[in-house]
């Protein structure tokens, strides 16, 4: 399979780095160039052929709308997929008018970006159903010319236009109509010419404007919005882009006890122990159906189309069905595995970056404020997880010779975890490598005093050996030769 060639245009290196990790070569993509501003796009396309331009809209000199407009004026060019945030209705409408064939939201899941790039490269449009109707309203209100007259459309043309308006690709339309894909492409080209429409995005607007597709119809015919959870901070949930109200903290604690053990039946008495511990409610397990009913209502929300809740009754308990549900914890584990693989392959630079990305998923204290033994146990486990990632990142930085940045980050970690000997050992090594032997020994003295005063114990053998090596100037033991 030929790789899809992508040009990335965004003025933030961090965003481009994230896009590179999503649009990977093993998944069929090749990044042929990167630009930090819209003004750089023509030169980048002259230097390398691209199948898709992924274009940020907000850039300091030449923004994505103007860059797209300039490309359109130059003649044939790769299709532009706009990249922006949820509340940029005016920008999205503007970039569609400028000639982009679709847009993807920056907070969309990675798989949506992958599908969008592939669809655009194949000649299709990509308009996020969560905001399409609202954006097209802005598009229409700002239009500088009247919409084309509908003309006389045959039933076959209406069916084709309806499928395009719903966001179907040519391949999907071909399968549904039982036609070869080239025939669908030819018919669509003839239809847009007949209606005087510029491109696929304009055809979607036309379908909405003339009632061929409606917002309600799009919602029903499209897959229901994903249910998404964040546990690496306060417990939060979204259905699509709609934030959900999960109710009081005890109710949230019950949700967490199910969510973090997906597809496993947790018994009624187990849930009671998880959420209430040694102080169960007077009604015992009788309180659970009320809490579950409220949670089901919260999670169903206004856009839910399935009648079956993700919280289901099993034998003697409840389970959380994970199909179609995303959590930041799942993403954390994916990044962790990728970082370990990079370390095993000797790619320490990537390993450090992936550990940093994983740490960046934490938004404060995991499951902050939730009561009960289960939530507290998960908090402890996730704190350890974050700490282990910080240690692995620092180890990669030391092996790469980035002693200053490692020392700065390790100092912060050790301040939060003053008894953590492995962190102290890494910090001593980083300080020693910078020529700060006295500071390295001071770290040992501080943790020695804390361990002795708080727990009446001495530092372990490994930390003691690091201190001895620092005193002796033993670079080999400290790993710097």
């Amino acid at each position: 399979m030929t790789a899809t060639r992508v040009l990335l245009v965004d003025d933030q290196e961090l965003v481009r780095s994230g896009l590179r990790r999503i649009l990977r070569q093993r998944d069929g993509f090749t990044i042929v160039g990167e630009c930090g501003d819209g003004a750089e796009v023509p030169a980048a396309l002259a230097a390398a052929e691209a199948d898709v331009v992924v274009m940020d809209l907000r850039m300091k000199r030449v923004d994505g709308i103007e860059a797209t407009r300039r490309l359109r004026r130059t003649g044939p060019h790769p299709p532009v997929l706009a990249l922006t945030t949820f509340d940029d209705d005016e920008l999205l409408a503007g970039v569609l008018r400028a000639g982009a064939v679709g847009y993807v939201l920056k907070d969309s899941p990675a798989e949506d970006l992958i599908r969008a790039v592939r669809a655009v490269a194949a000649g299709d449009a990509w308009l996020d159903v969560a905001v399409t109707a609202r954006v097209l309203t802005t598009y229409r209100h700002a239009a500088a010319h009247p919409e084309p007259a509908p003309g006389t459309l045959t039933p076959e043309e209406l069916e084709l236009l309806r499928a395009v308006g719903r966001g179907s690709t040519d391949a999907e339309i071909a399968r549904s109509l039982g036609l070869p894909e080239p025939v669908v492409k030819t018919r669509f080209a003839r239809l847009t010419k007949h209606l005087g429409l510029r491109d696929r995005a304009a055809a979607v607007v036309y379908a909405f404007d003339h009632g061929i597709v409606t917002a309600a119809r799009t919602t029903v015919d499209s897959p229901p919005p994903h249910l998404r959870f964040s546990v690496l901070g306060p417990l939060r949930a979204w259905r699509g882009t709609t934030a959900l109200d999960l109710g009081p903290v005890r109710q949230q604690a019950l949700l967490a006890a199910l969510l973090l053990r997906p597809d496993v039946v947790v018994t009624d008495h187990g849930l009671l122990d998880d959420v209430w511990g040694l102080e169960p409610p007077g009604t015992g397990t009788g309180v659970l159906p009320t809490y579950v009913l409220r949670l089901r209502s919260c999670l169903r929300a206004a856009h839910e189309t399935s009648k079956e809740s993700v919280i289901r009754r099993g034998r003697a308990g409840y389970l959380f069905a994970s199909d179609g549900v995303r959590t930041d914890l799942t993403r954390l584990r994916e990044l962790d595995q990728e970082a370990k693989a990079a370390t095993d392959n000797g790619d320490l630079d990537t390993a450090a970056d992936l550990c940093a990305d994983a740490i960046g998923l934490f938004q404060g204290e995991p499951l902050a404020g939730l009561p009960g033994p289960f939530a507290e146990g998960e908090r402890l486990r996730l704190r350890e997880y974050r700490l282990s990632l910080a240690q692995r990142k620092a180890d990669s930085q030391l092996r790469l010779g980035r002693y200053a940045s490692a020392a700065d980050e390790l100092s912060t970690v050790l301040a939060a975890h003053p008894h953590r000997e492995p962190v102290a050992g890494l910090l001593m090594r980083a300080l020693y490598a910078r020529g700060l032997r006295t500071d390295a020994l001071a770290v040992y003295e501080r943790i020695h005093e804390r361990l002795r005063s708080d727990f009446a114990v001495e530092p372990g053998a490994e930390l003691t050996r690091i201190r001895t090596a620092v005193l002796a100037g033993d670079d080999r033991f400290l790993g710097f030769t």
Side-chain angles (χ1 to χ4, degrees), residues 3-9 23 29-33 41 45 48-55 71 77-82 101-102 104 113-124 126:
T4 300
R5 299 166 297 183
V6 183
L7 175 66
L8 301 179
V9 186
L23 303 174
F29 299 97
T30 298
I31 306 301
V32 297
V41 173
L45 290 176
E49 292 186 5
D51 300 307
V52 181
V53 178
V54 177
M55 180 92 73
L71 278 181
H77 62 83
V80 173
L81 178 68
V101 297
V104 66
L113 175 63
I114 291 171
R115 289 173 58 210
V117 173
R118 286 176 176 161
V120 168
D124 296 312
W126 184 271

Side-chain angles (χ1 to χ4, degrees), residues 7-68:
L7 175 66
L8 301 179
V9 186
D10 196 295
D11 60 355
Q12 297 182 47
E13 165 58 29
L14 188 61
V15 173
R16 298 201 304 273
S17 176
L19 293 173
R20 286 197 302 271
R21 294 198 184 97
I22 294 171
L23 303 174
R24 298 175 293 191
Q25 191 167 12
R26 69 188 187 194
D27 293 324
F29 299 97
T30 298
I31 306 301
V32 297
E34 297 183 28
C35 301
D37 188 82
E40 302 169 9
V41 173
L45 290 176
E49 292 186 5
D51 300 307
V52 181
V53 178
V54 177
M55 180 92 73
D56 183 32
L57 295 188
R58 293 186 181 274
M59 290 180 285
K60 294 179 180 178
R61 293 176 53 213
V62 175
D63 62 24
I65 295 175
E66 177 59 25
T68 303

Side-chain angles (χ1 to χ4, degrees), residues 69-148:
R69 188 178 293 117
R70 291 180 184 181
L71 278 181
R72 186 180 169 204
R73 287 200 297 260
T74 63
H77 62 83
V80 173
L81 178 68
L83 184 67
T84 189
T85 53
F86 176 69
D87 57 356
D88 282 341
D89 291 6
E90 183 61 42
L91 289 179
L92 290 175
V95 79
L96 290 179
R97 290 194 300 273
V101 297
Y103 55 82
V104 66
L105 307 180
K106 284 188 175 180
D107 61 353
S108 297
E111 54 264 36
D112 282 1
L113 175 63
I114 291 171
R115 289 173 58 210
V117 173
R118 286 176 176 161
V120 168
D124 296 312
W126 184 271
L127 303 178
D128 193 306
V129 296
V131 292
T132 291
R134 201 184 71 229
V135 170
L136 295 185
T137 298
T138 306
Y139 182 108
R140 291 191 295 267
H141 288 171
H145 54 81
E147 292 292 335

